[in-house]
Amino acid sequence: MSESTLSPDDLEETLLKVAEKDTAAIESLTVMAGCYRAKDMPSEIKSLLTDNLNIIIDDVAHSSENPILRELILELAAAGFDSMLMRDALASASRHVHADFPDPAGLIQALGIFDVGVNIRNVRRRWDVFSILTENSIVWHSSYGIGRISEIDSFSDLVYIRFRNRERFNVVQAMMTLSIAKQDSFATALISDEKSSFNAKQSLEEFDRRLAQSFVPPLDNPAGAAEAILVPDRTNLKTFLAWRSGGEADGVTKKTLQKREWNEARALEELKTCLKDAGAIVASERDAEAMLKIFSFEATKPLSRFVFSECLATLWSMCSDRAWIEAMMKGLPKDTLAWSDEGTFIELTCKLPARLVPHWLYASAVAQGNDWLLNTITTLPLRFWPMAEKILPELELTTNDLFTVVHEKLRRKNGSADAAVWIWQQQTEESLAVFSNSSIVFKILTFPVKGEFIKARKQLLKLLMENQDFQRALMGDGSDKGIDKFVKIIKSSMALSQGEQQSLLVKIVRIYPGAAEIVADRKKVVARRPLPKLTSFPSYEERRLELEEIANQKIPKNSAAIAHARSYGDLRENAEYKAAKDEQRYLMARRGELENGLKEVMVTDFSDVRVLDAVVPGCTVELLIGGTDTEKYSILGLWDSAPEQNILSYETPLGKALIGKKVGDIFTTPQNKTAEVKNISKLSSEIQKSLEIPEE
């Protein structure tokens, strides 16, 4: 687009003509906006556009349907001009231009139109890519190279592309990371015509320009795409590199691609291939700079995380002098994905070949520090722990350092089954003492696990059910207090089935026959009748008033809104009508819910509740949670929840768990924490006063 900026005075005059829908003025403004695609718009120009945007877009729907105005809106977006009115117009344009797309709202979300965190220039970039995103299109990806779209699943918003392997992208990833070749472009012709030859004497500048402009968005650096297209099908690497460097070339050839050395790799996938045949690595300063460049480039890309970890671990294993790698890692981005969170690190470690894991752990310690490594080891599946132990001396660490971290995590009850099994395997006085608090094991067993973590959970459960030494440790070597606590936890544990509970209780008596009385002290279970539907007067009144407002105000207002929206016509594209109908469905459902609830519930102030030895609605209960924290909760009626005041409805998960519990009972809370009932008392006078029913 040619350079055609407007002075502020000319712009004001042009805007006046735009207000009159002058086509020439709109086109002139579009050309001006195009001048700012690659540079910032002057503040004076931006201010004028902001003040007059409602003139340009006086009707969002009309602006999106008018192709000339729509082009102006898109060009303003490319220039970085942003406002909510602009985004409204873009959303309307999306619905109009892509009317055949099965999920219009999903497309608007994928384009990032209403996401203020997405720069409006990136919205325009996504728009351009999506506009030519079709099956069989040729694409360029900086990590995967040249590929072809094999399938677009518009219902699940997924794009499948055949590179060397078939890769899957969601629509947002596709729009942000792909450049798509235009139909009948220079690039498409090169790739599609297998008989086309390469002339090493052609202008490099002209070739790059034509290739870059073949893609949407244009390629910033077409060199990688040029090599992927030309080598080895149309020329060999030597000729290609000579042409790009301006040196002498031997002409057109189709010799087999000469293999690159590891330090010539341009991307991590290529480095991975080169390292397979490399010997011991000695790196120069230039090599280190090259490696830092490609590792940094792909360090934050989700699709490159696996090859990142494998290449780094492989390099580490092949170098005797690793100082250059350590220096390189210090230059990596702070948000490198491999170490961004525990889940990603575990995923990468589990995918690595076993021979590379120690090198990966060592390199990660250098990158993140020894404390980070010790904490992270405790999150790994158990099979990796021996590998980690072997590298500890090289990091000037010991098994005791790891034990200290694991012990602290278990003490705080946020350790894993893998950590518990490892601690038990140490068989030291300190490790056995960890299990004197039996609730640690039961807490761990309530955690859901999957994948490689299932094995350690099974091992821990097997220790609990079959290993007498382990059982003795959990019972404090047979003390009455230890046995009593163990028995109570078994009976209330959600981690064991009823059969496992009974089996374990029998085994306790076999180990300690004198514990039979403690084990046999089963509390008589009385079938509890369903609780009546009770609530306090304030809660009842709140819902009654809500019902009145819905019936007398909101529903009539909504009916009027539906009638008003119908007057616009064409209900298929009538957003106001759809919104009003959605509100109508909600109001009708809520009215029915309130009417039924108010008919069934009984109002009470809980003043007649007799608080004896069990938790009932209308009492306060004191809990000891996790052996350290004390909390008081007041249990009230069906609609009486105020979590900020520790007031719970008896229908909440914790309320249900508490009803019927007695002082001394130990149970597992819905948050998988072990809790003991310490005291049950009447409601406080303040709460009781707030529940009073006013006299008629």
Side-chain angles (χ1 to χ4, degrees), residues 320-336:
S320 55
D321 180 4
R322 297 164 176 161
W324 71 273
I325 306 182
E326 295 182 15
M328 179 194 77
M329 288 194 295
K330 291 177 182 177
L332 291 175
K334 292 182 179 180
D335 55 347
T336 295

Side-chain angles (χ1 to χ4, degrees), residues 475-540:
M475 290 184 281
D477 289 328
S479 69
D480 287 347
K481 184 178 179 181
I483 295 172
D484 183 60
K485 183 176 181 180
F486 191 47
V487 169
K488 285 182 177 179
I489 292 176
I490 291 170
K491 290 180 178 180
S492 64
S493 174
M494 298 171 64
L496 302 178
S497 67
Q498 191 172 357
E500 288 170 333
Q501 289 176 346
Q502 190 60 36
S503 174
L504 198 51
L505 292 171
V506 170
K507 290 173 181 177
I508 292 173
V509 178
R510 287 178 183 170
I511 299 172
Y512 299 113
E517 290 186 9
I518 299 175
V519 172
D521 185 26
R522 300 187 181 92
K523 294 179 172 64
K524 186 176 180 181
V525 178
V526 179
R528 193 191 313 151
R529 290 178 297 176
L531 289 169
K533 293 186 176 181
L534 305 172
T535 196
S536 67
F537 176 78
S539 296
Y540 179 91

